[in-house]
Amino acid sequence: MKSGNIKQFEHLSQFDSIKAFNSSIEQWMVDYKNEFTKGEMIAFNRLKRYAAKVYGVSNISINKLSAVSKELDQGGISRSTFKRMLKKAKQFGIITVYETERNNGSKSTNVYVFNRYAQSEPCPKEVKVEESPVQQQSIGEQLNHPKTHQISKTNNIITKRSILNVPDQFAQYLSAYFTGKEIIELWKCVKHATKYLNHYNLTAKVILGVNAMRNMREQLKEGYRVKKSMFSLYWGIVNKMLDREYKELIVSC
């Protein structure tokens, strides 16, 4: 991606107003504010203020942010603090970072895109479903042991409404581990993450969704602890895979 004026990155914005942007940030903070240190929150809010001209998008340099912080915040915030904040924000799915380059091929300032809060879109972090004895097990146990034959037909059958909204290949792969309602919500995560990627057709989305699920299963087998919900974990994995794909594309160009 070529560097340039902030206006050229308007297509990356996920908001139609500053009110929608601020509302989304407030929702993210309900879930993750306690995960940031005091200094990291100052860094986060500084970056947020520079993402108002194009709602939710900023291309300010970390050096400039650090300089501004030294002038306005008591003690100032270092580059390392900004980087730690960005690492966490990317991990939680709050911010997506795009690298840019100048015409001569050298690296330029990154573009920081604030993502719309997942729960405000069709990808919730918590979903109320009818519980069965199997659903009360750990998520790791659910994924390691297919439960198709163990749960009631009411919970396990993917309804006609589900089939209309979820590709068969995706539903079939997940049906051994999740109920129909859960599969619908997981598919919504994939759809929302690829919402602005016009080159992603249905087949590509299915491949992404299945690979992300395999990735999640591996993490759980290795002992990863789910902090929020399996939906937020899955959402984060899908976005990390898309980030990695974008970086590989940039390198190959």
Side-chain angles (χ1 to χ4, degrees):
M1 182 183 292
K2 294 295 183 181
S3 60
N5 187 279
I6 187 62
K7 285 291 184 179
Q8 80 176 52
F9 303 113
E10 285 182 318
H11 65 285
L12 296 175
S13 175
Q14 300 178 24
F15 307 95
D16 57 12
S17 69
I18 193 67
K19 182 179 179 181
F21 172 47
N22 288 332
S23 176
S24 182
I25 293 297
E26 289 174 4
Q27 290 173 300
W28 279 117
M29 289 300 99
V30 168
D31 286 349
Y32 294 110
K33 185 175 182 179
N34 292 335
E35 302 291 337
F36 294 94
T37 66
K38 182 178 179 180
E40 289 165 355
M41 276 307 306
I42 293 174
F44 182 89
N45 288 326
R46 281 284 160 223
L47 180 59
K48 183 186 73 173
R49 291 189 181 99
Y50 281 90
K53 190 170 184 180
V54 173
Y55 309 132
V57 181
S58 175
N59 63 345
I60 188 172
S61 69
I62 292 181
N63 285 337
K64 184 173 181 179
L65 277 175
S66 182
V68 170
S69 177
K70 287 180 180 179
E71 294 178 7
L72 302 178
D73 302 314
Q74 186 176 4
I77 302 300
S78 65
R79 279 179 56 87
S80 58
T81 300
F82 276 104
K83 288 186 176 181
R84 286 196 303 272
M85 176 275 290
L86 286 171
K87 182 178 180 179
K88 289 182 180 180
K90 288 171 60 179
Q91 177 185 343
F92 301 146
I94 303 173
I95 293 175
T96 298
V97 180
Y98 296 94
E99 295 181 349
T100 68
E101 61 180 27
R102 301 180 180 87
N103 291 330
N104 61 8
S106 61
K107 287 187 176 181
S108 185
T109 56
N110 292 332
V111 176
Y112 305 103
V113 178
F114 286 83
N115 297 314
R116 184 182 291 273
Y117 180 63
Q119 196 166 352
S120 64
E121 291 290 333
C123 178
K125 307 194 77 176
E126 299 290 347
V127 175
K128 292 183 179 180
V129 294
E130 296 178 17
E131 290 191 351
S132 67
V134 176
Q135 288 174 306
Q136 294 171 1
Q137 299 174 359
S138 69
I139 295 175
E141 290 174 328
Q142 291 183 38
L143 293 182
N144 289 331
H145 303 286
K147 62 183 183 180
T148 304
H149 62 286
Q150 299 177 12
I151 63 176
S152 68
K153 292 183 179 180
T154 302
N155 281 340
N156 190 50
I157 293 176
I158 300 177
T159 63
K160 291 182 178 179
R161 181 173 66 85
S162 304
I163 294 173
L164 290 174
N165 291 291
V166 181
D168 289 342
Q169 303 96 319
F170 185 83
Q172 288 170 8
Y173 180 79
L174 272 67
S175 62
Y177 311 103
F178 299 100
T179 67
K181 290 181 180 179
E182 293 168 330
I183 292 171
I184 293 171
E185 301 306 329
L186 289 165
W187 177 245
K188 285 178 180 178
C189 288
V190 177
K191 287 204 303 181
H192 175 58
T194 57
K195 182 177 180 180
Y196 299 98
L197 302 179
N198 296 329
H199 62 287
Y200 255 77
N201 58 25
L202 185 60
T203 300
K205 291 178 183 179
V206 170
I207 293 173
L208 171 67
V210 170
N211 286 337
M213 181 53 60
R214 288 172 177 159
N215 190 309
M216 187 168 86
R217 289 181 61 196
E218 289 301 316
Q219 289 191 31
L220 293 170
K221 286 179 182 179
E222 293 173 2
Y224 181 89
R225 293 185 61 187
V226 179
K227 296 179 180 179
K228 297 291 181 180
S229 73
M230 64 178 177
F231 299 102
S232 59
L233 173 60
Y234 185 70
W235 167 254
I237 291 173
V238 169
N239 279 279
K240 284 181 181 178
M241 291 178 70
L242 289 172
D243 287 345
R244 184 163 59 249
E245 179 186 280
Y246 176 78
K247 289 180 180 178
E248 291 173 353
L249 180 63
I250 291 298
V251 171
S252 64
C253 290

